[in-house]
Amino acid sequence: MKMYLKFLSGIIIAFLVIQIVSVNVVGVNEAVYREKTYIEEYECISENDNLILYADTKTARIAVQDKSNGNIWYSNPVDAENDKIAAGANKMVILSQLLVEYSDNMGKSGISNSHVSCVTKKGIEMEKKLNGITIQYNFLREGFSIPIEYTLCNDFLSVKINTAQIVERGENRIISISLLPYFGAGGVEDKGYMLVPDGTGALINFNNDKEIYKAYKQPVYGFDSVIELLQKKIKNEIVRMPVFGLKKWDNAILGVVNHGEGIAVINSFVSKMISSYNNIYCEFMYRASDTKTLMEKDWQNKRSVKMFSNNPTSLNYLEVQYYFLDGENADYNGMARKYREHLIKEKGLTKKHTKTSLYLDLYGAVKKRKSILGLTFDVTIPLTAYKQAEEIVSKLKASGV
């Protein structure tokens, strides 16, 4: 009887293991099949030794496949239509490649996305070119057209806004253009993080349950000191480098603002803020704008009016280069190495062979408030005595510093 029970237990355990493995295999196969089926709707635009560029001529979506491992990066999430968190305009933005803020001559502003204003209104024009494709986004109701040029390079995708060819009709004027807001976005089931260039760099983990806080939004090289800053509730480090990144599972994207970084703003959202996705992207301030507060005649009421420059940016184009990383390079260290490589190749960065100097600050004491016998005093707390400072300097000199 005991032998029979052991035999029966073994069969049950083996059956359960087979079922678990089968479920996992089926799940993986379904995901792979879905990805392959989805990319079959796209047209191959360009291919080189490292990457393949695809485009969906119906929706203006693009995709890039990394040939080193077969991973595909989509401009818009594959299952965006099934997002249960995003609603209204936010859901339409997930399906868009452009998000445009504009204003009329009375200071009334609005925001339009390319899916609703271009794709559904048959306002998309495409033209294949060498190593890529140019997509003209015609915002028919708003009265402006924006050409985007996708070019496949050796190890990156160049995405340019041809500002010299932007056309504005009527009274609306473009204020800002957000480029590929959901490129490579990670869902609630994905593991990864986003790299924001806050100071020396910071990471925002996917699905960190911090959706109640404000989204990350910082201009590259800091706020324009000419523009009046009405309020500042959060202290942020100045963005020193025009880069941003996203790691999803074993792959990563590094975005480098290669042209127009002086008018670029980095935006990042975690899941549950406005959608089910973790996304990061670049926004370009096409026109300088500011918000002014005007008082009514009775001096009791006031209203805010958005003012903008008559002339747009003088730059002929704005560009973001997207690098695709995998394996041991698919993390923030790999992103840093790739950006250094970019600076060497694209910007002519060279290593300086100079003797490094050491600047040493020693704190002798600090003031600290303490309570003594019920009374509060500012007490001096010693940190580094003169003898200790002398010892530190002597040891540094002895070690050759």
Side-chain angles (χ1 to χ4, degrees):
M1 184 65 179
K2 290 183 179 179
M3 291 295 294
Y4 174 76
L5 289 175
K6 288 182 179 179
F7 176 73
L8 182 61
S9 299
I11 293 177
I12 293 173
I13 291 172
F15 177 76
L16 290 175
V17 170
I18 292 173
Q19 288 296 311
I20 292 172
V21 172
S22 298
V23 169
N24 287 336
V25 171
V26 170
V28 171
N29 288 337
E30 286 179 352
V32 172
Y33 175 77
R34 186 177 183 186
E35 292 281 325
K36 288 184 177 179
T37 302
Y38 193 75
I39 200 63
E40 287 175 359
E41 300 175 6
Y42 287 60
E43 179 182 346
C44 180
I45 301 299
S46 181
E47 180 177 358
N48 59 31
D49 293 338
N50 301 308
L51 305 169
I52 305 175
L53 173 63
Y54 297 92
D56 185 340
T57 56
K58 296 179 180 178
T59 63
R61 301 177 189 179
I62 61 104
V64 177
Q65 185 172 24
D66 187 343
K67 295 174 71 173
S68 65
N69 61 3
N71 184 63
I72 302 174
W73 294 96
Y74 290 95
S75 62
N76 306 87
V78 173
D79 54 351
E81 290 86 352
N82 301 324
D83 192 318
K84 297 180 180 179
I85 296 177
N90 287 332
K91 193 160 192 174
M92 296 300 100
V93 174
I94 305 176
L95 305 174
S96 302
Q97 297 81 50
L98 297 181
L99 186 62
V100 182
E101 182 182 3
Y102 62 93
S103 180
D104 61 19
N105 53 15
M106 298 299 292
K108 183 179 179 181
S109 61
I111 299 178
S112 293
N113 61 76
S114 60
H115 180 74
V116 172
S117 297
C118 304
V119 176
T120 63
K121 301 290 192 301
K122 308 297 182 183
I124 295 293
E125 299 176 35
M126 297 186 179
E127 180 182 358
K128 292 183 181 179
K129 63 183 188 65
L130 182 64
N131 300 325
I133 188 171
T134 298
I135 302 179
Q136 179 93 0
Y137 293 87
N138 298 307
F139 291 76
L140 304 177
R141 181 177 62 85
E142 295 80 358
F144 47 79
S145 300
I146 304 173
I148 304 297
E149 184 178 305
Y150 298 94
T151 305
L152 196 67
C153 301
N154 180 43
D155 61 343
F156 65 89
L157 174 70
S158 168
V159 183
K160 290 182 180 179
I161 303 174
N162 292 319
T163 52
Q165 299 175 20
I166 289 179
V167 177
E168 296 173 314
R169 308 175 186 88
E171 63 179 16
N172 290 332
R173 294 293 178 266
I174 298 172
I175 295 177
S176 72
I177 304 172
S178 294
L179 190 62
L180 299 178
Y182 280 87
F183 192 20
V188 292
E189 301 297 330
D190 291 318
K191 291 186 178 181
Y193 54 75
M194 293 170 287
L195 170 70
V196 294
D198 198 62
T200 56
L203 301 180
I204 301 176
N205 291 321
F206 283 4
N207 313 311
N208 58 16
D209 295 324
K210 294 184 179 181
E211 63 273 10
I212 63 172
Y213 298 98
K214 291 189 66 176
Y216 181 87
K217 184 183 180 74
Q218 289 296 309
V220 175
Y221 306 141
F223 286 96
D224 189 344
S225 57
V226 175
I227 298 176
E228 180 183 5
L229 190 61
L230 298 179
Q231 56 179 317
K232 185 177 181 181
K233 296 181 179 179
I234 302 175
K235 176 176 172 55
N236 295 95
E237 298 293 331
I238 294 177
V239 173
R240 306 290 185 184
M241 297 172 287
V243 298
F244 58 94
L246 181 145
K247 174 182 170 62
K248 185 166 62 176
W249 296 106
D250 296 327
N251 296 276
I253 292 181
L254 173 68
V256 179
V257 187
N258 190 54
H259 201 255
E261 56 267 45
I263 58 172
V265 178
I266 307 302
N267 296 269
S268 177
F269 294 82
V270 295
S271 62
K272 302 178 186 176
M273 277 185 171
I274 56 176
S275 74
S276 298
Y277 299 97
N278 307 270
N279 61 308
I280 187 167
Y281 60 94
C282 177
E283 174 185 8
F284 290 101
M285 305 308 297
Y286 184 67
R287 273 185 173 84
S289 63
D290 195 6
T291 301
K292 294 295 182 182
T293 301
L294 304 178
M295 302 300 297
E296 300 290 352
K297 291 181 179 180
D298 56 6
W299 292 92
Q300 297 298 317
N301 300 311
K302 58 184 179 180
R303 61 189 179 94
S304 296
V305 177
K306 193 155 194 174
M307 306 180 70
F308 56 87
S309 171
N310 289 328
N311 299 319
T313 176
S314 60
L315 298 173
N316 289 329
Y317 70 94
L318 309 169
E319 181 189 18
V320 177
Q321 295 181 355
Y322 296 91
Y323 292 87
F324 307 94
L325 312 173
D326 70 325
E328 62 180 11
N329 292 317
D331 59 11
Y332 60 87
N333 291 312
M335 295 178 194
R337 288 192 295 269
K338 179 57 69 173
Y339 183 52
R340 180 179 59 192
E341 181 183 314
H342 166 87
L343 291 176
I344 293 172
K345 289 183 178 180
E346 300 284 334
K347 304 297 183 181
L349 179 69
T350 57
K351 185 176 181 180
K352 292 184 178 180
H353 298 278
T354 57
K355 187 177 180 180
T356 304
S357 300
L358 172 67
Y359 296 90
L360 179 65
D361 285 330
L362 297 176
Y363 288 87
V366 294
K367 293 285 187 180
K368 188 174 182 180
R369 183 159 293 186
K370 284 191 173 184
S371 178
I372 302 175
L373 299 177
L375 300 176
T376 303
F377 297 92
D378 287 331
V379 180
T380 301
I381 306 296
L383 297 178
T384 308
Y386 286 110
K387 186 176 181 180
Q388 292 173 321
E390 186 178 356
E391 290 176 357
I392 292 172
V393 173
S394 297
K395 287 182 180 180
L396 287 173
K397 285 185 176 181
S399 61
V401 177

